[in-house]
């Protein structure tokens, strides 16, 4: 039997937004005088990064019937990201994020996601996107925080899994987006049996196995980088025990560690740079890793590609707008010791 033709390399599913980044690098949030308007949202960032590296990438998200939606779609169309699966959601608003930049270790952010359009994508939107016709789908865990996007994500994973499409979950823990943060772990653990590859920071992996809300502490309103107590080794084993074949633990400037379901553990070094802005680095990593993986590279080389993408983006004051091209990444890797 002939394998069906795959029309797209990857569809990413979940958040999209306008991101307003502080123009006053280093300033306390209360002293910010102006903002630069970029686009953001983890799945949007990843789709953009993949497209810039040369993959055929699509995004399944929702935008409002508003000018912010126009802003987001205009950016994606110029980047060559397929937008035909992005519905305009009547009565909802395109999402927004406001972010401060205080290197080296303070990056406060505020989400505006009440009644947001990307949380209103449905099972019907997944059906229209034909996820079974792509090589990989990537889903963001934040999309599982509320209906109807929660069911849409579970349905997408189910359909892709049945069609032997590679499924990748970005664990993407945003504590303030959950009415009960313990439900984050419940949703993650329910999804993992349909996931082949999972990506997350140590904090996100601990959140996936969270037992008590008191384990989570957020300082300086760094929603994307909470401090979470727990046993990381137990959490990693718990994720692999649920059926994940490959778990990649992102460790910032140190690089990543690959765990597989056969018990192998591989450290992949990062590229040492002085970061300006760490927000978006994980999404850049994901796009570089996905590129390598879909080229048939081994996991080590794919992760080095991801680390290179992340290292380049942390030097910039934004996320999707600064994702590197293939030529830029290959040059960066060559200049920093090679694969």
């Amino acid at each position: 039997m002939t394998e069906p033709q795959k029309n797209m390399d990857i569809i990413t599913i979940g958040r999209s937004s306008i991101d307003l980044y502080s123009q006053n690098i280093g300033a306390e949030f209360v002293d910010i005088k102006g903002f630069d308007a970029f686009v953001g949202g983890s799945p949007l960032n990843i789709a953009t990064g993949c497209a810039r590296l040369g993959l055929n990438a699509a995004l399944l998200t929702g935008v409002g019937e508003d000018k912010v939606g126009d802003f987001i779609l205009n950016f994606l169309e110029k980047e060559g990201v397929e937008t035909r699966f992005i519905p305009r959601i009547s009565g909802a608003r395109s999402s927004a994020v406001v972010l401060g930049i205080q290197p080296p270790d303070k990056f406060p952010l505020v989400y505006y996601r009440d009644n947001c359009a990307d949380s209103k994508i449905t099972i019907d939107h997944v059906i229209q996107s034909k996820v079974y016709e792509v090589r990989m789908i990537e889903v963001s865990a934040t999309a599982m925080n509320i209906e109807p996007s929660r069911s849409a994500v579970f349905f997408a994973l189910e359909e892709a899994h049945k069609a032997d499409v590679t499924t990748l979950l970005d664990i993407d823990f945003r504590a303030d987006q959950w009415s009960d943060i313990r439900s984050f772990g419940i949703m993650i653990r329910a999804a993992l049996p349909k996931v082949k590859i999972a990506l997350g920071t140590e904090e996100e992996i601990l959140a996936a196995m969270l037992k008590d809300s008191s384990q989570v502490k957020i300082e300086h309103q760094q929603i994307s980088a909470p401090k979470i107590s727990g046993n990381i080794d137990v959490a990693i084993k718990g994720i692999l025990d649920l059926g994940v074949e490959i778990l990649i633990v992102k460790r910032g400037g140190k690089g990543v560690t690959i765990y597989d379901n056969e018990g192998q553990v591989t450290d992949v070094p990062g590229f040492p740079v002085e970061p300006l802005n760490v927000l978006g680095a994980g999404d850049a990593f994901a796009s570089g890793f996905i590129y390598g993986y879909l080229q048939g590279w081994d996991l080590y080389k794919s992760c080095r590609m991801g680390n290179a993408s992340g290292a380049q983006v942390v030097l910039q004051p934004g996320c999707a707008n600064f994702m590197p091209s293939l030529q830029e990444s290959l040059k960066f890797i060559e200049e920093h010791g090679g694969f």
Side-chain angles (χ1 to χ4, degrees), residues 1-300:
M1 185 175 178
T2 304
E3 183 177 338
Q5 180 69 34
K6 302 295 187 182
N7 296 325
M8 299 292 300
D9 290 315
I10 182 167
I11 292 179
T12 67
I13 303 173
R15 290 187 289 127
S16 60
S17 61
I18 185 171
D19 282 10
L20 303 178
Y21 275 82
S22 171
Q23 294 173 342
N24 307 110
I25 307 299
E28 293 289 337
F29 207 94
V30 294
D31 295 322
I32 293 172
K33 305 302 181 186
F35 295 90
D36 287 317
F38 300 130
V39 295
S42 178
L44 183 153
N45 294 339
I46 294 170
T48 302
C50 287
R52 287 195 178 179
L53 291 171
L55 296 177
N56 294 319
L59 174 64
L60 172 54
T61 188
V63 297
E65 295 175 331
D66 51 42
K67 289 298 183 181
V68 175
D70 294 345
F71 181 86
I72 292 168
L73 291 172
N74 179 63
F75 173 85
L76 292 169
E77 287 161 2
K78 287 182 176 178
E79 290 293 330
V81 175
E82 179 58 66
T83 62
R84 71 179 185 270
F85 307 128
I86 302 177
R88 295 275 196 167
I89 307 294
S90 178
R93 291 291 180 89
S94 304
S95 182
V97 187
V98 181
L99 309 101
I101 305 177
Q102 296 172 254
D105 59 1
K106 292 183 183 178
F107 302 93
L109 59 83
V110 182
Y111 284 110
Y112 291 88
R113 293 184 53 78
D114 291 344
N115 191 37
C116 77
D118 64 60
S119 288
K120 298 184 184 299
I121 58 173
T122 68
I123 290 170
D124 286 330
H125 295 135
V126 175
I127 291 171
Q128 292 162 14
S129 72
K130 297 181 180 179
V131 294
Y132 50 82
E133 291 185 351
V134 304
R135 298 174 66 196
M136 176 185 284
I137 70 164
E138 182 273 340
V139 301
S140 162
T142 300
M144 297 189 289
N145 73 326
I146 193 171
E147 291 291 349
S149 61
R150 174 187 295 149
S151 290
V153 166
F154 275 94
F155 180 73
L157 288 171
E158 187 176 76
E159 290 295 286
H161 183 74
K162 286 193 301 186
D164 201 27
V165 171
T166 299
T167 50
L168 186 153
L169 172 67
D170 183 343
I171 299 177
D172 187 45
F173 179 51
R174 302 294 181 263
D176 70 339
Q177 299 303 301
W178 298 81
S179 58
D180 183 335
I181 58 174
R182 293 171 298 182
S183 65
F184 171 82
I186 294 169
M187 293 300 105
I188 294 293
R189 296 191 296 273
L192 287 175
K194 297 291 194 294
V195 170
K196 180 174 182 177
I197 305 170
L199 305 178
T201 63
E202 287 191 5
E203 291 78 15
E204 288 170 332
I205 289 162
L206 288 168
M209 297 294 160
L210 198 69
K211 301 296 183 185
D212 191 315
S213 300
S214 66
Q215 292 174 246
V216 180
K217 184 178 182 181
I218 297 172
E219 297 178 340
H220 310 297
Q221 202 158 335
Q222 297 189 116
I223 306 300
S224 62
K227 294 184 177 180
I228 304 178
S229 61
N231 187 315
I232 187 64
D233 294 326
V234 170
I236 288 167
K237 183 178 185 301
I239 288 175
L240 292 170
D241 285 347
L242 287 168
V244 172
E245 294 181 25
I246 301 162
L247 173 62
I248 299 173
V249 182
K250 297 180 289 187
R251 304 188 190 276
K254 297 177 182 178
V256 301
T257 303
I258 307 166
Y259 297 82
D260 69 25
N261 59 352
E262 295 180 352
Q264 287 191 310
V265 180
T266 306
D267 289 320
V268 184
F271 295 87
V273 294
E274 290 293 327
L276 171 69
N277 166 39
V278 300
L279 299 167
D283 302 333
F285 169 84
S287 64
F289 169 79
I290 289 166
Y291 175 83
Y293 186 88
L294 292 179
Q295 299 308 306
W297 297 356
D298 62 36
L299 292 175
Y300 184 94

